[in-house]
Amino acid sequence: MMKITTAFLALSILSALSISSRGGLLQNDGFEVEYPSGQSTNWWWYGEAGRATWAMRSGTAGQAFYAASTNFGGFGQDVPVDISKGRVFTFTIYGKAEANYTNGGTTVGMEFWTGSTQRYTVTRNVYAQLDASRDTWTQVSLVETAQVTDVD
């Protein structure tokens, strides 16, 4: 299993998570389906994060990172994978740093799991890339070739 994690001000999935050249693996990758209230179906969250209609790049909703102070938050999705179908995983999103907001800890990540055991994590800080184009939707990606073969 992989856990896709993000800590963003606002984000909208572009092509979601894919294995090699296969299609997307995320469910509700446009954040359109809402349940429970204020949260996107199939996504988990913690702290100051959630679904917001003002955070959409397209469609009717996006995910937002609300931490306007020193609070933390993020969201992600658990994705079952079959390593035999490919070992290269790409997570591509659009993110937007708002004009009056700073969060140097803005990251995207993937966690690789076997059953209930976390094998390893890869993260990428994307704040500088988003900060360079404030108030503009910017595409960011994280690509990882699985380092273990027993991820599920």
Side-chain angles (χ1 to χ4, degrees), residues 56 65-66 69 107 109 139:
M56 82 285 196
F65 180 56
Y66 304 131
S69 62
T107 62
Q139 181 179 326

Side-chain angles (χ1 to χ4, degrees), residues 1-4 13-30 42-43 77-83 85-92 110 112 151-152:
M1 174 175 302
M2 285 184 33
K3 294 178 183 255
I4 303 302
I13 296 296
L14 166 64
S15 61
L17 173 71
S18 61
I19 297 179
S20 304
S21 60
R22 296 178 109 70
L25 299 175
L26 294 178
Q27 296 180 26
N28 192 24
D29 61 355
N42 302 108
W43 291 85
Q77 188 172 127
D78 296 349
V79 182
V81 297
D82 182 350
I83 288 287
K85 294 182 179 178
R87 294 185 59 188
V88 178
F89 297 90
T90 304
F91 182 47
T92 303
M110 295 183 205
F112 291 82
V151 173
D152 59 9

Side-chain angles (χ1 to χ4, degrees), residues 31-93:
F31 310 113
E32 299 298 322
V33 182
E34 177 183 29
Y35 182 82
S37 180
Q39 301 300 330
S40 296
T41 303
N42 302 108
W43 291 85
W44 47 261
W45 62 93
Y46 63 92
E48 300 295 321
R51 181 180 185 272
T53 55
W54 57 262
M56 82 285 196
R57 180 180 160 268
S58 62
T60 60
Q63 286 286 83
F65 180 56
Y66 304 131
S69 62
T70 58
N71 297 323
F72 295 95
F75 43 91
Q77 188 172 127
D78 296 349
V79 182
V81 297
D82 182 350
I83 288 287
S84 70
K85 294 182 179 178
R87 294 185 59 188
V88 178
F89 297 90
T90 304
F91 182 47
T92 303
I93 62 161

Side-chain angles (χ1 to χ4, degrees), residues 89-130:
F89 297 90
T90 304
F91 182 47
T92 303
I93 62 161
Y94 276 103
K96 181 170 80 170
E98 293 182 326
N100 298 317
Y101 186 81
T102 302
N103 182 357
T106 304
T107 62
V108 295
M110 295 183 205
E111 298 175 359
F112 291 82
W113 292 70
T114 302
S116 60
T117 303
Q118 184 176 357
R119 300 298 301 274
Y120 73 98
T121 300
V122 59
T123 60
R124 177 175 169 228
N125 188 306
V126 294
Y127 178 73
Q129 185 177 355
L130 297 176

